[in-house]
Amino acid sequence: MPNRMFSSVLPYFCSGPVCRGFGRGSKDLGCPTANFDYRVIEALPSELDCGIYYGFASVEGFEGVHKAVLSIGWNPYYKNDKKSVETHILHDFGTDFYGRAMKLVMLGHIRPERDFPSLEALIEEIQNDIRVAGEKLDLGEFQSFRTHPFFTEDGKGNS
């Protein structure tokens, strides 16, 4: 059943350069992320609550539109003092892509942001989020977004 709380802002299209994040996605969590800079974060609609979302993403200079799971928020486990948007693209690019433009369409909400009692519990939940995102994005209702003009045109999206 779709989450109606987010239906007024989803799908949400955004794009911007990939910048360096906190450096813990690959190292601590085994889940590399592409991070948007503050301009994309500040442009997010206020109705888009902190939490875990799924959608599709593409990266300038690389072929394809890929499944993605992302976190919007403060990462309570790490007690961040800055809000972030960290996107894990379900594809191995074989290299980093800092400075390249990433396009992202957020299609659905998985869960709210929350704290975890241990790093192991956080990693387990991230793996579950990745599984849920992959399953949701296989649904027929989302397939048209893989070929949406946003990914093939110069459009910048909502941000």
Side-chain angles (χ1 to χ4, degrees):
M1 181 160 90
N3 189 333
R4 300 194 193 298
M5 177 171 37
F6 301 97
S7 63
S8 65
V9 294
L10 296 179
Y12 182 77
F13 298 83
C14 58
S15 64
V18 173
C19 65
R20 291 198 181 273
F22 301 104
R24 57 188 175 227
S26 295
K27 295 175 191 150
D28 288 3
L29 304 171
C31 179
T33 60
N35 300 278
F36 277 129
D37 72 13
Y38 71 95
R39 291 172 290 213
V40 175
I41 297 163
E42 289 176 353
L44 293 174
S46 60
E47 302 88 356
L48 205 57
D49 290 338
C50 292
I52 310 304
Y53 293 82
Y54 58 88
F56 289 109
S58 69
V59 177
E60 172 187 37
F62 294 92
E63 194 171 315
V65 175
H66 306 283
K67 296 176 184 177
V69 61
L70 62 138
S71 168
I72 299 174
W74 303 91
N75 299 311
Y77 179 80
Y78 288 102
K79 298 174 180 36
N80 288 358
D81 60 359
K82 290 184 179 178
K83 189 175 186 180
S84 64
V85 174
E86 300 174 279
T87 304
H88 174 68
I89 301 174
L90 282 67
H91 178 77
D92 182 5
F93 289 92
T95 185
D96 66 47
F97 39 81
Y98 297 119
R100 294 184 187 250
M102 178 171 65
K103 292 183 177 185
L104 174 69
V105 58
M106 295 179 224
L107 298 170
H109 181 257
I110 297 175
R111 63 174 176 83
E113 179 179 53
R114 64 176 177 260
D115 199 357
F116 292 89
S118 68
L119 183 61
E120 293 75 22
L122 172 59
I123 291 169
E124 185 177 320
E125 189 69 5
I126 288 170
Q127 292 305 312
N128 186 60
D129 295 336
I130 291 168
R131 181 190 58 74
V132 169
E135 289 173 1
K136 295 277 190 187
L137 292 166
D138 281 338
L139 298 175
E141 66 189 278
F142 297 119
Q143 292 312 301
S144 64
F145 287 97
R146 277 189 185 242
T147 57
H148 193 282
F150 172 71
F151 289 112
T152 56
E153 297 173 354
D154 258 353
K156 298 292 185 199
N158 304 63
S159 62

